[in-house]
């Protein structure tokens, strides 16, 4: 029967780099951009789901990595290829710049519907958050746009007999949730340990084709997308002032007292 | 201020008196309209007294014939109270973010996730300020729709009682089973276990004003961390390493994929300061670190640092603090 899985991926500034805003938007240059680290987990989970199947079961299975963003975002898809994606789809359109969570989700859902024209999609997998905005709401919104069940922030996922079951540990609560396929699942970074890509995949990823769709090729309400469609507007984005240099105290037997004195000086004791 | 507009505050439960993190939301909401508190259970008498002291005009119980812990159900239920409201505030939990996102889709509202400040903008709009990129940038977002939905970080204001106490009216809105079931969207809640909160372990991490966190440098012994936390009335936090090693429970993990905190005081002990941890704590007001390695990266973002062995420094600090507090 196989599984067709769409993995949502995002190109974000590397968290080890100096991240900035330009005109109220996250600056995403090619140089220090990368696949959102948390998106490695849904890719790994997709590969594992297929690996657990027999060859016959696996027939017709496919992992489609989907991204939306400017030209550099294709780098995220190259990385997704290294991690085991079969197909990379890039929604690329100048009109998308400045989209809010809702606009982004509407476009991603339209792209999933477009992928489904070539064969039913069983699962949409996503990371629990993108390490730039940290909104963590896009998977839930994509589920709502598609009218599919949402199983988010999963720490464990099982797919069997046409249903998905997740276990999650969120906000001090442990839950088990279940729904029939197709579903949208977001996974956290405890679900698996992504493997290091093998040499063969790294080489193949360089030359693999990427499918590019513009907004015109998707069935989406364009009034929702881009800065014009956004329901919120960034009025300003400013770097915070640097902290004054650290007051460094080397412990010679009274470090704890020095710490308490410092806290008292700040009115914290 | 448009005095006739409603400022809604979503709280998890009205069965117990509200905690500071919820009262902070009520305090913010008072500047934005007539405050109505919404929850999925009935208010206890003591809670009503407290809400009156904080100036809440209305309390709405959404009585859902179904499972309000499911995101779709909670979002649908909230559509019953958003008509005519100007703003809805909720604490910045993962569950609330998703509920508000889906409510935004249902109601046409604009959404700001994890605001550190909320205020009225020009022309009566609602404006939320956020700290992003591990607290290194300030972003100010204006909501352009008539209804604004915001999740708000704890410790963004100090909760304060109203100058004019109220006697809140209480209403109950029934959400029928068919509606709740449709809103579940095919999701089945198989089981739900709320982790027991150990009252002796101090305040909840996400909303604590003071946090003491331990990292790999503890070697698995959190006793000095707990001792200092206890002296300060602080919550205990940890790093991903410690959780993976099984030294401490997952709920304590601070970081981009764990709990994001913004307390008045953060003390990190035996923590080197990897980017993922920093992403979860760098917005703290005052940052202190204790580490035996003078080169550790967390020292770069500290206000005060002690180079030393946490096993001796923390208990000594705890004793000195207890002495000062008498």
């Amino acid at each position: 029967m196989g599984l067709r899985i769409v993995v949502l991926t995002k190109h974000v500034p590397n968290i080890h780099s100096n991240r900035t805003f330009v005109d109220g938007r996250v600056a995403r240059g090619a140089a220090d951009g990368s696949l959102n680290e948390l998106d490695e987990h849904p890719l790994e989970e997709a590969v594992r789901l297929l690996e657990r199947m027999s060859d016959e079961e696996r027939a017709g299975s496919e992992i489609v990595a989907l991204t939306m963003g400017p030209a550099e975002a294709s780098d995220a898809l190259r990385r997704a290829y290294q991690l085991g994606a079969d197909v990379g789809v890039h929604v690329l359109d100048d009109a998308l710049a400045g989209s809010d969570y809702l606009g982004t989700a509407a476009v991603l859902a339209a792209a999933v519907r477009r992928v489904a024209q070539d064969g039913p999609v069983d699962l949409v997998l996503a990371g629990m958050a993108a390490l730039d905005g940290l909104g963590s709401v896009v998977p839930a919104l994509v589920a709502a746009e598609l009218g599919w069940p949402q199983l988010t922030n999963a720490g464990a996922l099982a797919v069997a007999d046409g249903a998905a079951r997740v276990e999650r540990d969120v906000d001090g609560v442990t839950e088990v949730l279940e729904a029939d396929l197709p579903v949208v699942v977001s996974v956290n970074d405890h679900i698996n340990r992504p493997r290091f890509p093998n040499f063969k995949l790294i080489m193949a990823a360089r030359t693999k084709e990427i499918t590019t769709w513009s907004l015109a090729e998707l069935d989406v309400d364009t009034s929702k997308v881009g800065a014009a469609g956004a329901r919120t507007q960034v009025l300003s984005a400013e770097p915070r002032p640097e902290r004054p240099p650290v007051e460094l105290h080397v412990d010679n037997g009274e470090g704890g007292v020095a710490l308490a004195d410092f806290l008292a000086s700040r009115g914290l004791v | 201020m448009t005095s006739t507009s409603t400022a809604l505050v979503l709280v998890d439960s009205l069965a117990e008196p509200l905690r500071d993190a919820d009262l902070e939301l009520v305090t913010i909401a008072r500047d934005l309209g007539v405050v109505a508190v919404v929850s999925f259970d009935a208010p206890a008498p003591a809670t009503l007294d407290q809400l009156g002291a904080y100036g809440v005009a209305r309390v709405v119980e959404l009585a859902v014939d179904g499972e309000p812990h499911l995101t779709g159900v909670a979002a649908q239920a909230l559509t019953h109270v958003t008509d005519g409201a100007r703003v809805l505030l909720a604490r910045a939990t993962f569950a609330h973010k998703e509920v508000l996102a889906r409510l935004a889709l249902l109601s046409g509202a604009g959404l700001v996730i994890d605001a550190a400040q909320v205020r009225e903008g020009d022309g009566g709009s609602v404006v939320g300020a956020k700290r992003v990129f591990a607290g290194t940038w300030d972003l100010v977002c204006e909501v352009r729709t008539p209804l604004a939905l915001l999740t708000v970080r704890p410790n963004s204001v100090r909760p304060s009682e109203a100058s004019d106490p109220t006697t809140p009216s209480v209403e109950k809105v029934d959400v029928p089973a068919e509606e709740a079931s449709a809103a579940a969207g095919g999701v089945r809640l198989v089981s739900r276990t709320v982790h027991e909160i150990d009252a002796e372990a101090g305040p909840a991490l996400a909303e604590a004003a003071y946090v003491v966190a331990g990292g790999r440098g503890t070697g698995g012994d959190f006793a000095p961390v707990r001792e200092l936390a206890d002296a300060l009335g602080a919550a205990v936090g940890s790093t991903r390493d410690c959780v993976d090693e099984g030294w401490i429970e997952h709920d304590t993990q601070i970081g981009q994929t764990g709990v994001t905190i913004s307390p008045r005081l953060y003390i990190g002990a035996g923590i080197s300061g990897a980017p993922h941890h920093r992403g979860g704590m760098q917005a703290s007001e005052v940052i202190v670190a204790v580490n035996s390695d003078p080169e550790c990266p967390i020292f770069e973002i500290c206000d005060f640092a002690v180079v030393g062995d946490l096993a001796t420094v923390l208990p000594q600090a705890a004793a000195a603090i207890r002495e000062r507090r008498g």
Side-chain angles (χ1 to χ4, degrees):
Chain A
M1 48 153 228
L3 280 178
R4 283 188 86 223
I5 304 173
V6 175
V7 181
L8 306 182
T9 61
K10 190 174 183 189
H11 182 248
V12 299
N14 188 310
I15 65 164
H16 299 274
S17 74
N18 206 4
R19 296 177 291 177
T20 58
F21 282 83
V22 175
D23 296 334
R25 290 174 199 160
V26 176
R28 293 193 290 174
D32 57 358
S34 56
L35 173 69
N36 173 44
E37 244 178 85
L38 292 173
D39 295 344
E40 294 188 7
H41 299 276
L43 282 162
E44 174 69 26
E45 200 61 20
V47 170
R48 289 185 189 194
L49 282 171
L50 299 198
E51 281 174 348
R52 277 181 219 128
M53 297 176 163
S54 67
D55 286 349
E56 297 130 82
E57 281 176 332
R58 210 195 296 188
S61 291
E62 192 172 46
I63 300 173
V64 179
L66 168 66
T67 198
M68 151 181 165
E72 305 84 64
S74 61
D75 286 356
L77 296 178
R78 294 273 166 229
R79 178 72 182 160
Y81 279 143
Q82 294 182 3
L83 296 171
D86 302 302
V87 177
V89 173
H90 185 177
V91 183
L92 173 66
D93 201 306
D94 289 344
L96 294 171
S99 295
D100 62 7
Y101 304 117
L102 296 124
T104 301
V107 172
L108 291 172
V112 171
R113 288 195 296 268
R114 175 70 186 76
V115 172
Q117 285 176 15
D118 306 328
V121 173
D122 303 290
L123 269 172
V124 170
L125 280 176
M128 62 172 280
L131 290 173
D132 52 356
L134 281 175
S136 78
V137 297
V138 168
L141 287 170
V142 168
E145 287 276 357
L146 290 169
W148 294 5
Q150 68 162 71
L151 304 174
T152 53
N153 214 329
L157 167 67
V159 176
D161 305 323
R165 174 185 275 244
V166 304
E167 188 178 322
R168 57 189 220 152
D169 200 353
V170 189
D171 304 328
V173 178
T174 300
E175 284 178 341
V176 176
L177 300 169
E178 202 179 65
D180 296 338
L181 303 181
V183 296
V184 175
V185 177
S186 76
V187 304
N188 67 26
D189 59 342
H190 290 273
I191 195 168
N192 58 39
R193 206 174 276 264
R195 73 197 76 180
F196 194 76
N198 67 38
F199 183 70
K200 203 176 123 203
L201 283 175
I202 291 175
M203 293 310 288
R206 290 185 184 173
T207 51
K208 255 189 161 171
E209 294 248 346
I210 286 173
T211 303
T212 303
W213 289 332
S214 69
L215 267 183
E217 286 160 88
L218 300 177
D219 177 22
V220 62
D221 176 357
T222 51
S223 71
K224 289 183 187 173
V225 308
R231 299 175 187 180
T232 57
Q233 184 178 18
V234 175
L235 298 180
S236 68
E238 301 289 342
R240 284 182 63 72
E242 299 224 357
R243 285 177 181 271
V246 56
E247 208 177 305
L248 198 68
H249 184 96
V250 179
D251 179 34
N252 287 312
E254 49 10 287
V257 175
L259 202 168
D261 287 344
F262 168 77
L263 297 182
S265 76
R266 293 294 185 98
L268 291 164
V269 173
Chain B
M1 186 184 100
T2 322
S3 60
T4 52
S5 60
T6 302
L8 297 164
V9 175
L10 171 64
V11 303
D12 284 327
S13 170
L14 293 165
E16 303 281 334
L18 300 190
R19 296 171 302 179
D20 277 358
D22 293 317
L23 296 172
E24 288 169 23
L25 300 182
V26 172
T27 304
I28 295 168
R30 281 205 309 262
D31 286 337
L32 298 170
V34 177
V35 182
V37 165
V38 188
S39 189
F40 295 101
D41 57 12
T47 312
L48 278 179
D49 291 345
Q50 184 194 29
L51 294 175
Y54 276 82
V56 172
R58 281 165 62 213
V59 175
V60 185
E61 176 196 352
L62 290 168
V64 177
D65 190 358
E67 191 43 83
H69 297 298
L70 293 177
T71 312
V73 177
Q76 173 61 33
L78 284 166
T79 62
H80 290 274
V81 293
T82 49
D83 266 359
R86 175 193 202 185
V87 65
L88 183 147
L89 306 175
R91 267 190 313 126
T93 63
F94 182 84
H96 285 159
K97 290 181 208 187
E98 288 197 333
V99 169
L100 265 55
R102 293 193 63 140
L103 178 60
L105 202 63
L106 292 169
S107 64
L111 173 69
V112 176
I113 299 282
D114 295 0
Q117 269 176 27
V118 186
R119 61 177 170 85
E120 184 171 275
D122 297 336
S125 66
V126 175
V127 170
K130 311 171 55 162
R131 291 207 174 150
V132 294
F133 289 160
T136 59
W137 281 71
D138 281 334
L139 211 59
V140 179
C141 304
E142 179 175 51
V143 181
R144 302 157 85 185
T145 49
L147 172 63
L149 309 178
L150 300 96
T151 63
V152 184
R153 284 267 169 85
N155 300 311
S156 50
V157 295
R158 306 275 166 90
S160 65
E161 295 191 357
S163 47
D164 303 315
T166 49
T167 306
S169 67
V170 180
E171 31 189 300
K172 188 170 155 191
V173 174
D174 290 310
V175 180
E178 315 82 72
E179 186 182 339
S181 159
V187 181
R188 302 183 286 273
L189 183 61
V190 178
S191 67
R192 183 170 200 274
T193 314
V194 179
H195 302 183
E196 267 183 51
I197 295 171
D198 178 1
E200 284 179 15
L205 177 62
E207 57 207 53
Y210 291 27
V211 172
V212 182
R216 184 160 281 285
T218 60
D221 179 10
F222 269 73
V225 171
R226 293 190 200 283
E227 189 178 343
L228 180 56
D230 185 49
L232 282 166
V236 170
S238 72
T239 63
R240 173 76 194 260
D241 281 346
C242 301
V243 173
D244 286 349
E245 292 284 354
W247 293 344
I248 194 161
E249 59 278 16
H250 180 205
D251 291 346
T252 62
Q253 184 193 324
I254 296 168
Q256 281 170 320
T257 60
V259 179
T260 305
I261 58 168
S262 47
R264 289 174 59 203
L265 170 66
Y266 163 94
I267 300 177
I271 290 175
S272 65
H276 289 284
H277 183 73
R278 282 164 56 167
M281 53 59 72
Q282 204 162 343
S284 306
E285 222 168 283
V286 175
I287 299 176
V288 172
V290 179
N291 203 305
S292 53
D293 172 13
E295 303 294 321
C296 68
I298 200 169
F299 282 178
E300 293 166 20
I301 57 161
C302 277
D303 298 283
F304 186 83
V306 180
V307 184
D309 181 358
L310 69 92
T312 55
V313 173
L314 300 194
Q316 189 182 59
I321 288 161
R322 287 206 174 93
E323 206 170 294
R324 278 175 183 277
R325 290 192 165 170

